[in-house]
Amino acid sequence: QVQLVESGGGLVQAGGSLRLSCAASGSMFSINTMGWHRQAPGKQRELVARITSSGSTNYADSVKGRFTISRDNAKNTVYLQMNSLEPADTAVYYCNADGLVGVHGYDSWGQGTQVTVSS
């Protein structure tokens, strides 16, 4: 079992910045891809950004040029730097990671952190 704990959400004015962090913990696990998803009220959960163990990234079109995903493999932690925030970015942001625990695959989610952008 791999646990993910997010931090860094909050309330910010439009144009501001926030940095989300997500730390993974567990025993005898490896991480392949880590990512951030978000879910706004009344909408489906959507991918925001993800990063592989080798550092390859991809982003939702709506956040390209504003958000940056990075990871520290030594700390099993992924970050999401969010700049030029817009009210449309308001959502609960969820961390996700997949990989192996021993020889068994896993796909874990964090509990979510609220990001609210005021106009």
Side-chain angles (χ1 to χ4, degrees):
Q1 189 77 1
V2 176
Q3 293 80 39
L4 303 177
V5 178
E6 301 120 332
S7 60
L11 172 64
V12 64
Q13 289 188 332
S17 298
L18 283 174
R19 188 192 195 208
L20 305 182
S21 300
C22 172
S25 62
S27 298
M28 298 184 64
F29 70 101
S30 62
I31 304 175
N32 180 20
T33 300
M34 301 187 83
W36 291 94
H37 295 67
R38 68 186 181 187
Q39 188 166 18
K43 295 188 177 181
Q44 290 188 329
R45 190 173 297 189
E46 63 175 358
L47 174 69
V48 176
R50 59 186 169 202
I51 183 168
T52 67
S53 56
S54 61
S56 297
T57 60
N58 65 291
Y59 296 90
D61 288 343
S62 59
V63 306
K64 283 180 181 177
R66 300 188 297 122
F67 291 11
T68 302
I69 190 170
S70 61
R71 65 191 279 176
D72 184 334
N73 291 329
K75 296 181 178 180
N76 293 324
T77 299
V78 63
Y79 306 96
L80 185 68
Q81 179 66 44
M82 305 185 292
N83 298 329
S84 302
L85 282 161
E86 304 167 355
D89 296 317
T90 296
V92 178
Y93 284 68
Y94 297 91
C95 176
N96 170 250
D98 63 67
L100 294 174
V101 176
V103 298
H104 302 289
Y106 71 88
D107 187 348
S108 294
W109 292 84
Q111 79 285 354
T113 185
Q114 177 70 46
V115 171
T116 303
V117 184
S118 63
S119 57

